[in-house]
Amino acid sequence: MEGAPEWFSGNDVQKYLTYEDLIPIIEGALASFSQGHAGGVLQPVRMSMGIEEHKGVFLVMPAYSSKDNALATKLVSLYPENSAVGLPSHMGVIVLFDPVHGAPKAMMDAEVITGMRTAAASAVATKYLAPENSKILTVIGAGVQAITHIQAIRQVCKFEEVRIWSRTFSKAQKVADEFGCVACKTIEEAVKDADVITTVTMSKTPVLNAEWVRDGAHVNCVGACVKDWQELDPALMKKADVYADTKEAALKESGDIIMSGVEVLCEIGELVLGTKKADRNATTVFKSMGMAIEDVVSAKLVYDKKHGSTSSQ
């Protein structure tokens, strides 16, 4: 192999990645994934390994897109208790390969891409599922994902008010001050009459009660990424039309879906393709699993923008 892979720090990634470019790329990737073989995406269900001694999880997430001529894998750790020592809960790297010859050509810090591509996927789901003329967005949680979701979802809806709640009110207030939101002291207060609700917590038990959510609201459920964790009241899951980025992974790995016993109507990519249509007057839930193909196309976008190319190489 000639030379070491090029390194992209988090700051490097942030320099080249914008929601204006990223949201359409993620929308296309979701559509390609849901086309099956015709979409040209290869993506096995991610490998997950529990590090019980240290209360962590290690994940390996490879994918390939023939349409984008992009091959990569993400190696990422999930340590929910890291905030106590001042570290992010998610840390990792993305390795981008030359799909023609298989040589690794770049390594990227995964934190910025993970935060932004996850929020971009929620923005796509919100575009297709949120009530028409949505006015109020609520975000439950005040970490990195809360910030990226506020930024991304504002790209697809023009909200009159954005509310935020955190177990630590000072954290919610800090985000509110920085991003022009309203910090709330209870979840019930935060979600009252909200059109779009996004849960981005590390909770293992439900934080959002069904009785607090207005009929016809849309919920992006982003946390609870393992089979015995939940963010949403099972009663809310049962009354909602449920969608996912990947139906296969959601049915195997999402505690919110498994423990409530609900079905996934379809994937967001099917809505993008127009092969399925959502009832936007219904209460809806998007269960975000986070997909390797989202990392792959995001990493390629960063690489191409740095090297002055927007076409497949």
Side-chain angles (χ1 to χ4, degrees), residues 100 107 144 149 151 228 261 275 297:
V100 178
M107 290 183 64
V144 171
H149 275 78
Q151 294 172 320
D228 57 352
T275 56
V297 297

Side-chain angles (χ1 to χ4, degrees), residues 13-262:
V13 172
Q14 206 152 27
K15 186 189 308 181
Y16 297 108
L17 207 54
T18 67
Y19 288 113
E20 184 179 7
D21 293 328
L22 182 60
I23 290 173
I25 292 287
I26 294 297
E27 186 171 3
L30 291 168
S32 293
F33 175 80
S34 293
Q35 279 185 288
H37 181 74
V41 173
L42 298 176
Q43 178 186 277
V45 174
R46 62 190 173 192
M47 189 280 285
S48 174
M49 180 172 67
I51 313 298
E52 295 181 8
E53 179 182 358
H54 300 293
K55 300 178 181 178
V57 180
F58 183 73
L59 303 163
V60 180
M61 302 172 63
Y64 167 68
S65 171
S66 62
K67 285 183 179 178
D68 298 286
N69 198 29
L71 173 66
T73 189
K74 182 164 75 174
L75 309 173
V76 62
S77 62
L78 169 58
Y79 280 64
E81 298 184 7
N82 271 1
S83 60
V85 292
L87 292 173
S89 59
H90 295 70
M91 291 185 284
V93 294
I94 297 170
V95 186
L96 184 67
F97 291 80
D98 169 9
V100 178
H101 300 291
K105 59 182 184 179
M107 290 183 64
M108 302 182 187
D109 181 279
E111 185 178 0
V112 173
I113 285 178
T114 299
M116 292 183 68
R117 63 78 154 153
T118 304
S122 294
V124 174
T126 301
K127 174 181 173 180
Y128 287 90
L129 295 174
E132 299 287 350
N133 302 312
S134 292
K135 303 298 184 187
I136 301 172
L137 167 66
T138 294
V139 176
I140 300 174
V144 171
Q145 287 283 1
I147 293 169
T148 58
H149 275 78
I150 290 168
Q151 294 172 320
I153 296 174
R154 275 176 163 168
Q155 298 287 316
V156 297
C157 290
K158 303 304 179 186
F159 297 103
E160 294 178 357
E161 183 178 9
V162 178
R163 304 172 187 158
I164 186 165
W165 174 90
S166 171
R167 284 191 172 91
T168 306
F169 181 74
S170 61
K171 291 182 179 179
Q173 190 63 65
K174 181 179 179 182
V175 175
D177 290 343
E178 185 173 354
F179 294 96
C181 310
V182 177
C184 298
K185 292 189 175 180
T186 68
I187 297 177
E188 185 174 4
E189 173 194 356
V191 302
K192 180 177 173 58
D193 297 324
D195 301 295
V196 179
I197 302 167
T198 299
T199 56
V200 283
T201 75
M202 296 300 294
S203 182
K204 297 181 181 180
T205 56
V207 296
L208 183 60
N209 290 351
E211 63 193 40
W212 298 340
V213 179
R214 79 162 181 85
D215 290 342
H218 169 62
V219 181
N220 296 306
C221 180
V222 180
C225 58
V226 294
K227 63 181 66 176
D228 57 352
W229 292 16
Q230 294 172 281
E231 282 192 307
L232 307 188
D233 181 349
L236 174 57
M237 295 293 292
K238 289 175 182 177
K239 83 171 187 177
D241 291 348
V242 179
Y243 302 83
D245 42 8
T246 159
K247 189 171 182 178
E248 180 185 13
L251 293 173
K252 289 181 179 179
E253 298 180 353
S254 167
D256 280 296
I257 288 172
I258 294 167
M259 296 172 77
S260 64
V262 300

